[in-house]
Amino acid sequence: MMSQMPQPTALSRCPSCEEPLEAGDRFCGACGFDLSAVPAPPADSPTITMNGTAPRPPSAAPSVDWPVAPEVDSSDTPAPVHLPTDLRGTESGGSELPHAVGASGAGQEPVAGPSGVRFDRPAEPDEYPLAAPQQPAAPAAAPAVAPAVSAAPADPRTADLATPAPGTKLCVACRSGNVDSDGYCENCGHAQPRERDHMEQELGAVAAVSDRGLRHHRNEDAFTISSTALPDGAPAVVAIVCDGVSSATRPDEASLAASRAAGEALLDALPLGTHPQQAMHDAIIAASQAVNSLADAPGSDAEHLPHVNAPACTLVGAVVTPTLLIIGWVGDSRAYWVPVDRSSPPARLTEDDSWAAQMVAAGLMNEAEAYADERAHAITGWLGADAYELEPHTASFKPDRPGVVVVCTDGLWNYAEAAEDMAEVVPLDAALRPLHSAQVLVGHALDGGGHDNVTVAIVPFPAPSQGAGSA
């Protein structure tokens, strides 16, 4: 569940007592806290070491030292056209990246998942035996007369049921009653499953799964996965995941509109040669505009419903090519890097726009303390008409080894927060079986309690050379 917290560029509340501050205050008027002692938040220059912890010392396991692609101008000036061959990567040590980068990951054999991962649910039999319908006994007083046999109710699992009339929908439980406009059977009263309660999609080298969870009454997450081709014919795989802000109105509509708008913007821009990082930035702007349009309402509605917040959501997306990995986000949905070779360290690729992340960045709490606070998930950045200021974050990397990108909402990472925890639950064959891996991760969240909607997309890197398509 998400909650909003408007956040100006400076601290809006005292880090010590949470009292509101006025612009230009140097000391808190309530407790006297010296505001000049609070370090300024770091500039938005994301790197893969974004898990809120100090970098590993040189003596520890080798870090993933990826070269970062050049910064992209976020102004309205059209981005220069680049081809993947123009952007040469390097190895961690600085040497030239081999031309066959990522080819080693194509022939890997599937291996068993890590210990402790539960695969959805116990196995079930292929068929369930059906009891023969009982026939009424013949009357004893009239043995010569054929007994009157009453018609047994049709078993919905075996009966040849009539096709429902156009415009009507039959109940999934009794298969005989019509479903009313509220989603309930008029015959047995059974609530019908909604389309977005559980969604799965696989498209070549990318897959995504979304589930309502065990506590929410509806699924307020949404995703879009697709693929296209760059001007030189190289593939580009896209995954967008959005989480509706539950404290806002119509969060399910906001997440759906944002995911569709961002996905469409990327599919339009990438084939034209727009740099993928600029294309991601523009896609987030398009998603924001789509969510903002949901807030357009007659003045009378806004006047009589002052308590209703504008629709809002978070967004995280990934674009994967044969050589580049692009991440973009607003809010606290996340992306993780998990290498195929698990002897290499995983990494978190995003920095949350949240109260907890702000406290950690200001040096007022460590990560464990901040995320244990009840205010931890109050977000300071989101897409919506009432957002204080839209600041799309983008980062571009050139991995020097194959792996998978996990793009997810907090419904998953609440149960695997650190990069090491996420790598522990990602199956070892995730690059070869992305849909299965997404199913396993959703199952991990549900096994952990399923307190929120959970959505995850798995995108292998590098993007395989195959026919482009979209969905």
Side-chain angles (χ1 to χ4, degrees):
M1 178 179 295
M2 317 294 299
S3 59
Q4 294 165 289
M5 177 185 288
Q7 180 63 38
T9 54
L11 290 175
S12 62
R13 293 181 178 273
C14 173
S16 176
C17 67
E18 288 296 314
E19 283 296 314
L21 300 173
E22 297 291 338
D25 281 353
R26 298 179 58 189
F27 297 90
C28 174
C31 68
F33 186 81
D34 184 1
L35 300 175
S36 63
V38 180
D44 179 30
S45 54
T47 67
I48 66 162
T49 310
M50 290 185 178
N51 54 11
T53 59
R56 297 167 182 248
S59 60
S63 63
V64 184
D65 186 15
W66 293 348
V68 179
E71 292 291 334
V72 176
D73 184 9
S74 61
S75 66
D76 295 333
T77 304
V81 175
H82 293 279
L83 298 178
T85 53
D86 299 333
L87 305 170
R88 300 187 61 83
T90 59
E91 295 279 4
S92 298
S95 59
E96 285 291 327
L97 193 65
H99 291 294
V101 58
S104 60
Q108 302 261 348
E109 292 295 328
V111 291
S115 60
V117 177
R118 176 175 170 180
F119 293 83
D120 296 335
R121 56 180 62 86
E124 297 179 350
D126 294 333
E127 296 182 357
Y128 291 89
L130 302 177
Q134 296 181 353
Q135 303 292 343
V145 180
V149 180
S150 61
D155 191 307
R157 297 169 293 182
T158 58
D160 185 12
L161 299 174
T163 303
T168 63
K169 184 177 179 181
L170 287 182
C171 173
V172 299
C174 70
R175 296 296 299 169
S176 60
N178 291 329
V179 178
D180 62 20
S181 59
D182 293 329
Y184 291 87
C185 176
E186 296 175 344
N187 177 50
C188 67
H190 190 91
Q192 306 300 296
R194 287 165 291 193
E195 180 182 2
R196 290 178 63 178
D197 281 356
H198 185 88
M199 301 178 291
E200 297 186 1
Q201 188 177 2
E202 186 175 28
L203 179 66
V206 58
V209 177
S210 181
D211 193 90
R212 178 172 60 92
L214 305 179
R215 304 295 181 88
H216 274 224
H217 68 287
R218 65 181 175 187
N219 190 357
E220 297 169 356
D221 289 356
F223 68 81
T224 293
I225 58 174
S226 57
S227 63
T228 187
L230 301 177
D232 65 347
V237 181
V238 173
I240 301 292
V241 169
C242 295
D243 185 355
V245 177
S246 296
S247 60
T249 184
R250 296 148 58 202
D252 52 332
E253 296 181 31
S255 62
L256 185 62
S259 63
R260 288 178 174 175
E264 292 171 359
L266 286 167
L267 291 183
D268 289 342
L270 292 173
L272 300 178
T274 305
H275 189 289
Q277 190 173 358
Q278 182 68 48
M280 177 64 76
H281 178 276
D282 296 342
I284 296 176
I285 299 295
S288 175
Q289 293 171 347
V291 178
N292 291 352
S293 67
L294 297 177
D296 295 337
S300 59
D301 290 349
E303 178 182 354
H304 296 297
L305 297 174
H307 61 284
V308 174
N309 295 326
C313 68
T314 68
L315 181 147
V316 61
V319 174
V320 172
T321 76
T323 58
L324 283 176
L325 165 59
I326 309 297
I327 303 295
W329 75 98
V330 173
D332 66 348
S333 293
R334 294 181 178 179
Y336 291 83
W337 165 260
V338 179
V340 169
D341 179 7
R342 297 302 172 85
S343 63
S344 301
R348 198 176 105 197
L349 305 178
T350 56
E351 184 70 61
D352 296 345
D353 290 321
S354 69
W355 181 91
Q358 184 184 20
M359 292 298 102
V360 174
L364 300 174
M365 292 183 177
N366 62 38
E367 189 167 8
E369 293 171 340
Y371 281 99
D373 193 283
E374 61 181 6
R375 298 164 291 182
H377 290 277
I379 57 174
T380 59
W382 63 89
L383 304 180
D386 60 351
Y388 179 79
E389 184 178 359
L390 177 62
E391 295 182 1
H393 309 294
T394 61
S396 181
F397 307 101
K398 297 172 182 168
D400 58 359
R401 65 206 69 185
V404 295
V405 184
V406 180
V407 185
C408 64
T409 62
D410 62 344
L412 171 62
W413 65 254
N414 276 331
Y415 301 99
E417 186 171 334
E420 293 77 12
D421 297 334
M422 185 64 71
E424 180 70 21
V425 296
V426 172
L428 296 175
D429 59 354
L432 300 177
R433 303 172 66 193
L435 178 58
H436 170 261
S437 300
Q439 293 168 338
V440 169
L441 292 177
V442 169
H444 174 76
L446 297 180
D447 288 345
H451 288 75
D452 200 355
N453 308 144
V454 52
T455 301
V456 56
I458 300 293
V459 193
F461 177 91
S465 298
Q466 60 184 20
S470 63

